[in-house]
């Protein structure tokens, strides 16, 4: 492949990267507006030809930690995961430093 061909492909990749960034931003804005509207109309169940109905969109099992730990204590200690968000709500950031690790994920980005 020639340098010109490579330059053209890199330019196209950069353009696509920018397009995707803008479209993701627009999707986030639409989601926020949708949530805001749904919060405003949540008390009204019907208006004209429109009706708000509750639809089950997902079901998931959730482990009851205390029961799981009581039945399988060794397995609980090996499998349990504490999220940073939950830990920060209970413990000061400086106290968490020695029990945390940082994992870095990289991906190529056009600049």
């Amino acid at each position: 492949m020639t340098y010109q061909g490579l330059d053209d492909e890199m330019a196209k990749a950069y353009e696509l990267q920018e397009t995707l960034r803008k479209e993701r931003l627009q999707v986030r804005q639409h989601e926020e507006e949708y949530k805001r509207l749904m919060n405003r109309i949540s008390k009204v169940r019907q208006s004209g030809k429109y009706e708000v109905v509750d639809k089950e969109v997902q079901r998931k099992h959730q482990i009851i930690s205390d029961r799981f730990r009581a039945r399988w204590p060794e397995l609980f200690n090996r499998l349990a995961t504490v999220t940073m968000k939950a830990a920060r709500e209970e413990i000061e950031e400086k106290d968490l430093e020695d029990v945390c690790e940082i994992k870095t994920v990289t991906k190529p980005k056009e600049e």
Side-chain angles (χ1 to χ4, degrees), residues 34-75:
Y34 173 77
K35 286 178 189 176
R36 193 182 80 254
L37 289 169
M38 289 306 288
N39 284 337
R40 284 184 44 203
I41 64 173
S42 64
K43 294 173 182 64
V44 177
R45 299 308 286 184
Q46 188 167 10
S47 177
K49 64 180 181 176
Y50 297 101
E51 181 178 8
V52 176
V53 295
D54 295 326
K55 179 181 177 188
E56 183 176 300
V57 293
Q58 182 181 24
R59 291 182 78 179
K60 64 180 180 178
H61 285 82
Q62 184 172 351
I63 299 289
I64 301 170
S65 299
D66 291 338
R67 291 183 192 173
F68 189 98
R69 184 176 352 154
R71 188 158 182 193
W72 299 289
E74 307 84 25
L75 190 57

Side-chain angles (χ1 to χ4, degrees):
M1 177 175 287
T2 65
Y3 286 116
Q4 181 59 40
L6 188 57
D7 285 347
D8 291 345
E9 287 184 350
M10 288 185 78
K12 180 64 175 175
Y14 178 78
E15 289 173 23
L16 288 172
Q17 177 180 279
E18 287 302 301
T19 299
L20 288 169
R21 184 188 61 76
K22 290 174 185 174
E23 289 177 352
R24 285 184 187 113
L25 176 62
Q26 188 173 20
V27 167
R28 279 195 300 273
Q29 290 170 343
H30 289 316
E31 286 174 343
E32 289 172 9
E33 182 179 8
Y34 173 77
K35 286 178 189 176
R36 193 182 80 254
L37 289 169
M38 289 306 288
N39 284 337
R40 284 184 44 203
I41 64 173
S42 64
K43 294 173 182 64
V44 177
R45 299 308 286 184
Q46 188 167 10
S47 177
K49 64 180 181 176
Y50 297 101
E51 181 178 8
V52 176
V53 295
D54 295 326
K55 179 181 177 188
E56 183 176 300
V57 293
Q58 182 181 24
R59 291 182 78 179
K60 64 180 180 178
H61 285 82
Q62 184 172 351
I63 299 289
I64 301 170
S65 299
D66 291 338
R67 291 183 192 173
F68 189 98
R69 184 176 352 154
R71 188 158 182 193
W72 299 289
E74 307 84 25
L75 190 57
F76 179 83
N77 287 336
R78 191 163 41 97
L79 297 177
T81 301
V82 178
T83 65
M84 286 300 295
K85 180 180 178 186
R88 284 180 178 129
E89 290 174 0
E90 302 289 328
I91 302 168
E92 289 188 38
E93 186 83 28
K94 64 180 172 74
D95 295 329
L96 288 173
E97 288 178 10
D98 63 336
V99 296
C100 294
E101 68 179 352
I102 296 174
K103 293 184 179 179
T104 304
V105 176
T106 61
K107 66 179 184 177
K109 180 181 178 205
E110 288 283 327
E111 288 190 358

